[in-house]
Amino acid sequence: MQAGEFVGRVFSYFKGKTATKAPGDTTPKFQMYLAFANDLLRDFADDSSFRWKTIRRVESETISGDHVELPSDFARLSDDEIYAGTQKLSYLDFSERNSGEDGVYEMDGSLYLAQPSKHQGDTLTFGIIFYPPKLTTANSYIVCDS
Protein backbone atom coordinates (compact mmCIF):
# COMPACT_ATOMS: atom_id res chain seq x y z
CA MET A 1 0.00 0.00 0.00
CA GLN A 2 1.24 3.50 -0.76
CA ALA A 3 1.37 6.15 1.96
CA GLY A 4 -1.21 8.36 0.22
CA GLU A 5 -3.74 5.51 0.20
CA PHE A 6 -2.94 4.74 3.84
CA VAL A 7 -3.58 8.35 4.92
CA GLY A 8 -6.89 8.33 3.05
CA ARG A 9 -7.98 5.13 4.78
CA VAL A 10 -6.96 6.33 8.24
CA PHE A 11 -8.68 9.66 7.63
CA SER A 12 -11.89 7.90 6.54
CA TYR A 13 -11.81 5.54 9.51
CA PHE A 14 -11.22 8.16 12.20
CA LYS A 15 -12.96 11.19 10.71
CA GLY A 16 -15.86 9.38 9.03
CA LYS A 17 -15.28 11.34 5.83
CA THR A 18 -14.40 10.10 2.38
CA ALA A 19 -10.75 9.54 1.56
CA THR A 20 -10.94 12.27 -1.09
CA LYS A 21 -11.21 14.81 1.74
CA ALA A 22 -8.00 13.60 3.39
CA PRO A 23 -5.16 16.12 3.68
CA GLY A 24 -3.06 16.54 0.55
CA ASP A 25 0.50 15.28 0.46
CA THR A 26 1.98 18.78 0.71
CA THR A 27 0.13 19.71 3.91
CA PRO A 28 1.47 19.56 7.48
CA LYS A 29 -1.43 17.25 8.48
CA PHE A 30 -0.35 14.72 5.86
CA GLN A 31 3.17 14.80 7.29
CA MET A 32 1.67 14.28 10.76
CA TYR A 33 -0.07 11.10 9.56
CA LEU A 34 3.21 9.90 8.03
CA ALA A 35 5.04 10.59 11.30
CA PHE A 36 2.49 8.44 13.18
CA ALA A 37 2.86 5.68 10.61
CA ASN A 38 6.68 5.80 10.81
CA ASP A 39 6.54 5.51 14.61
CA LEU A 40 4.17 2.56 14.41
CA LEU A 41 6.28 0.77 11.80
CA ARG A 42 9.34 1.09 14.07
CA ASP A 43 7.28 -0.21 17.01
CA PHE A 44 6.11 -3.19 14.93
CA ALA A 45 9.70 -3.99 13.88
CA ASP A 46 10.71 -3.95 17.56
CA ASP A 47 7.84 -6.26 18.56
CA SER A 48 9.56 -9.60 19.17
CA SER A 49 6.27 -11.48 19.53
CA PHE A 50 5.52 -11.05 15.81
CA ARG A 51 7.27 -13.13 13.12
CA TRP A 52 8.00 -10.61 10.36
CA LYS A 53 8.48 -11.80 6.80
CA THR A 54 8.77 -8.60 4.75
CA ILE A 55 11.38 -6.82 6.90
CA ARG A 56 13.72 -9.77 7.31
CA ARG A 57 16.96 -10.37 5.46
CA VAL A 58 20.14 -12.39 5.73
CA GLU A 59 23.44 -10.57 6.24
CA SER A 60 26.85 -12.05 5.39
CA GLU A 61 30.08 -10.40 6.47
CA THR A 62 33.68 -11.62 6.26
CA ILE A 63 35.27 -11.96 9.69
CA SER A 64 38.51 -10.01 9.83
CA GLY A 65 38.61 -8.97 13.48
CA ASP A 66 36.76 -9.57 16.71
CA HIS A 67 33.46 -8.09 15.55
CA VAL A 68 31.19 -7.40 12.59
CA GLU A 69 29.25 -4.14 12.41
CA LEU A 70 25.48 -4.42 12.17
CA PRO A 71 23.68 -2.53 9.36
CA SER A 72 22.41 0.97 10.14
CA ASP A 73 18.76 -0.14 9.73
CA PHE A 74 19.21 -3.07 12.17
CA ALA A 75 16.29 -3.53 14.59
CA ARG A 76 17.13 -6.95 16.05
CA LEU A 77 18.27 -10.44 15.15
CA SER A 78 15.50 -12.44 13.47
CA ASP A 79 16.53 -15.75 15.07
CA ASP A 80 19.46 -17.56 16.64
CA GLU A 81 20.72 -19.09 13.39
CA ILE A 82 24.20 -17.54 13.32
CA TYR A 83 26.98 -19.23 11.36
CA ALA A 84 30.71 -18.68 10.99
CA GLY A 85 31.37 -20.55 7.77
CA THR A 86 29.45 -23.80 8.27
CA GLN A 87 29.70 -23.83 12.08
CA LYS A 88 26.60 -22.73 14.00
CA LEU A 89 27.43 -20.27 16.78
CA SER A 90 25.49 -19.68 19.97
CA TYR A 91 23.99 -16.29 20.71
CA LEU A 92 25.44 -15.30 24.06
CA ASP A 93 24.12 -12.89 26.61
CA PHE A 94 26.64 -10.12 27.29
CA SER A 95 27.37 -11.61 30.72
CA GLU A 96 28.31 -14.94 29.06
CA ARG A 97 30.89 -13.46 26.69
CA ASN A 98 33.86 -14.79 28.72
CA SER A 99 32.34 -18.21 29.44
CA GLY A 100 34.57 -20.02 26.96
CA GLU A 101 31.60 -20.93 24.74
CA ASP A 102 32.03 -20.29 21.02
CA GLY A 103 29.41 -17.74 20.07
CA VAL A 104 28.54 -14.12 19.44
CA TYR A 105 27.12 -11.34 21.56
CA GLU A 106 25.74 -7.95 20.65
CA MET A 107 27.27 -4.68 21.83
CA ASP A 108 27.40 -1.10 20.54
CA GLY A 109 25.95 -1.82 17.09
CA SER A 110 28.16 -4.83 16.41
CA LEU A 111 28.18 -8.59 16.78
CA TYR A 112 31.29 -9.64 18.71
CA LEU A 113 32.81 -13.10 18.48
CA ALA A 114 33.67 -14.73 21.80
CA GLN A 115 36.50 -16.66 20.10
CA PRO A 116 37.46 -14.54 17.07
CA SER A 117 40.75 -16.32 16.31
CA LYS A 118 38.85 -19.53 15.40
CA HIS A 119 36.89 -17.82 12.65
CA GLN A 120 39.23 -15.38 10.89
CA GLY A 121 38.46 -15.34 7.16
CA ASP A 122 35.13 -17.15 7.57
CA THR A 123 31.84 -15.55 6.61
CA LEU A 124 29.51 -14.65 9.47
CA THR A 125 25.92 -15.23 8.33
CA PHE A 126 22.92 -14.12 10.38
CA GLY A 127 19.32 -12.98 9.87
CA ILE A 128 18.05 -9.59 10.94
CA ILE A 129 14.79 -7.71 11.25
CA PHE A 130 15.40 -4.27 9.80
CA TYR A 131 13.54 -1.00 10.22
CA PRO A 132 11.44 -0.28 7.14
CA PRO A 133 12.39 2.79 5.11
CA LYS A 134 10.74 5.98 6.39
CA LEU A 135 7.59 7.14 4.65
CA THR A 136 8.31 10.57 3.17
CA THR A 137 5.87 11.08 0.28
CA ALA A 138 2.45 9.91 -0.85
CA ASN A 139 4.22 7.44 -3.16
CA SER A 140 6.26 5.86 -0.36
CA TYR A 141 5.50 2.17 -0.07
CA ILE A 142 4.42 0.84 3.33
CA VAL A 143 6.29 -2.36 4.11
CA CYS A 144 4.09 -4.39 6.45
CA ASP A 145 3.05 -8.02 6.76
CA SER A 146 -0.55 -7.17 7.60
Side-chain angles (χ1 to χ4, degrees):
M1 172 186 306
Q2 289 186 315
E5 181 185 353
F6 168 79
V7 169
R9 285 185 180 190
V10 170
F11 185 81
S12 294
Y13 184 77
F14 286 106
K15 294 286 189 173
K17 299 177 182 177
T18 64
T20 57
K21 295 191 182 229
D25 60 345
T26 58
T27 65
K29 278 194 172 193
F30 186 86
Q31 294 304 315
M32 178 188 69
Y33 280 104
L34 289 187
F36 288 146
N38 283 323
D39 288 345
L40 290 172
L41 286 170
R42 287 187 72 84
D43 289 347
F44 291 141
D46 287 333
D47 184 355
S48 62
S49 65
F50 192 77
R51 288 283 186 195
W52 285 102
K53 295 179 183 124
T54 56
I55 57 172
R56 174 189 312 252
R57 72 172 178 254
V58 174
E59 295 285 325
S60 294
E61 296 288 333
T62 302
I63 300 169
S64 60
D66 66 346
H67 71 281
V68 171
E69 286 189 31
L70 293 166
S72 60
D73 61 352
F74 173 80
R76 60 188 163 85
L77 292 172
S78 63
D79 53 35
D80 62 351
E81 295 286 316
I82 303 167
Y83 292 90
T86 58
Q87 181 183 355
K88 184 175 179 183
L89 301 178
S90 299
Y91 180 78
L92 305 172
D93 188 77
F94 182 77
S95 63
E96 300 171 316
R97 69 190 183 283
N98 294 322
S99 67
E101 188 174 351
D102 194 10
V104 297
Y105 60 94
E106 192 178 334
M107 184 176 75
D108 298 330
S110 295
L111 280 180
Y112 282 82
L113 292 130
Q115 298 178 1
S117 59
K118 290 177 69 176
H119 305 291
Q120 294 301 304
D122 286 343
T123 300
L124 188 69
T125 305
F126 54 96
I128 69 165
I129 301 292
F130 61 92
Y131 290 116
K134 287 207 174 216
L135 307 173
T136 56
T137 67
N139 294 328
S140 295
Y141 184 72
I142 298 175
V143 178
C144 187
D145 284 3
S146 66

